[in-house]
Amino acid sequence: MNTVQASPYPYPLPAKGSGNRVALVIIDMQRDFVEPGGFGAALGNKVEPLRKIVPTVAGLLKTFRELRFPVIYTREGHRPDLSDCPPAKKRRGNSTLRIGDRGPMGRILVLGEPGNDIVPELRPEAGELVIDKPGKGAFYATNLQERLKELGITHLIFTGVTTEVCVQTSMREANDRGYECLLVEDGTESYFPDFKRATVRMIQSQGGIVGWITTADRLTDSLRRTYG
Ligand code: C5J
């Protein structure tokens, strides 16, 4: 069996021709979280450190596209009338700019606004799946599960921001739905380095209770060796 070197033990890859497929999931790499003036900054976070994963995720994206493997992007955002934004979510925090308010990148966390765009280095190509989600998890109030089923996807490789919020929530949702989940440690980032470290430890604890952890290089080597 082909595997990726990972923690807590090697991550099994589906055999070529088995009908099971691996997909790259890029969580919320949108301007609202990684650029000044967006939702992340409005919540009082320093956003610059999040940008350091962009080249790593871009490298994985290139590999997946070359192998013709599916790529799934998510964006956290709400309808312009905010009908899908729970009042509790809108109220939360001490920010002067709240969800739906107009900031330097348009209305905060609203679909179709400049802040909702995925950063240019990771821009989706035609045919790639983009899931707009109103919550932290990629499965909540979306059709992601149906789409994964249609595409025969069984193995999900997680990257993006932020590790302990939308990435971890989505990974836990996927794990509960029976997907084999692998987190790329250097392809995810948090505003809080200790939260990232804790999440990485939590995911692989108890024999991989949520999934596996690897690095972009290890994953790339295994994918190219197995499927290239
Ligand atoms: C947050 C996210 N942190 N994408 N969203 O509110 O993690």
Side-chain angles (χ1 to χ4, degrees):
M1 186 200 292
N2 290 301
T3 58
V4 181
Q5 208 185 326
S7 271
Y9 57 90
Y11 176 78
L13 289 169
K16 236 177 170 173
S18 66
N20 295 333
R21 297 179 80 196
V22 184
L24 178 65
V25 184
I26 302 178
I27 301 282
D28 298 0
M29 286 301 291
Q30 60 200 70
R31 299 179 64 202
D32 254 327
F33 291 111
V34 305
E35 290 186 18
F39 185 54
L43 293 173
N45 299 302
K46 269 208 182 111
V47 296
E48 290 74 16
L50 267 55
R51 286 201 54 85
K52 74 170 184 257
I53 64 166
V54 171
T56 308
V57 179
L60 288 173
L61 187 53
K62 184 167 176 284
T63 299
F64 273 73
R65 284 174 176 164
E66 282 172 7
L67 292 172
R68 299 187 178 283
F69 279 12
V71 179
I72 299 153
Y73 304 80
T74 67
R75 293 183 295 212
E76 182 177 346
H78 297 280
R79 297 187 196 121
D81 64 3
L82 303 187
S83 56
D84 58 353
C85 180
K89 181 175 180 184
K90 187 163 158 45
R91 275 196 304 271
R92 196 79 52 82
N94 296 320
S95 170
T96 43
L97 274 181
R98 289 177 184 275
I99 296 170
D101 291 348
R102 195 161 292 281
M105 290 192 288
R107 294 181 66 204
I108 299 277
L109 225 59
V110 168
L111 302 176
E113 296 288 336
N116 197 241
D117 283 346
I118 290 170
V119 296
E121 299 91 327
L122 305 175
R123 188 171 290 135
E125 284 183 352
E128 291 174 337
L129 184 56
V130 180
I131 298 286
D132 286 313
K133 60 182 182 62
K136 305 304 181 196
F139 290 82
Y140 168 68
T142 72
N143 66 352
L144 177 57
Q145 191 165 3
E146 292 75 18
R147 298 307 312 276
L148 295 177
K149 206 166 175 191
E150 281 162 22
L151 295 166
I153 294 167
T154 48
H155 290 60
L156 295 174
I157 311 295
F158 283 88
T159 61
V161 297
T162 62
T163 316
E164 77 283 6
V165 185
C166 291
V167 175
Q168 178 172 214
T169 305
S170 300
M171 197 166 168
R172 286 177 181 273
E173 285 182 333
N175 183 53
D176 280 348
R177 286 164 174 79
Y179 295 95
E180 302 284 15
C181 298
L182 174 64
L183 176 64
V184 181
E185 186 168 0
D186 49 346
T188 181
E189 200 47 79
S190 169
Y191 301 119
F192 306 93
D194 48 338
F195 289 179
K196 173 176 171 177
R197 275 194 295 275
T199 304
V200 165
R201 284 186 62 198
M202 242 180 255
I203 283 170
Q204 63 187 296
S205 68
Q206 304 178 73
I209 197 148
V210 180
W212 286 258
I213 306 291
T214 194
T215 62
D217 283 350
R218 286 176 177 168
L219 174 63
T220 305
D221 286 351
S222 302
L223 290 176
R224 289 197 183 281
R225 207 172 346 99
T226 307
Y227 306 110

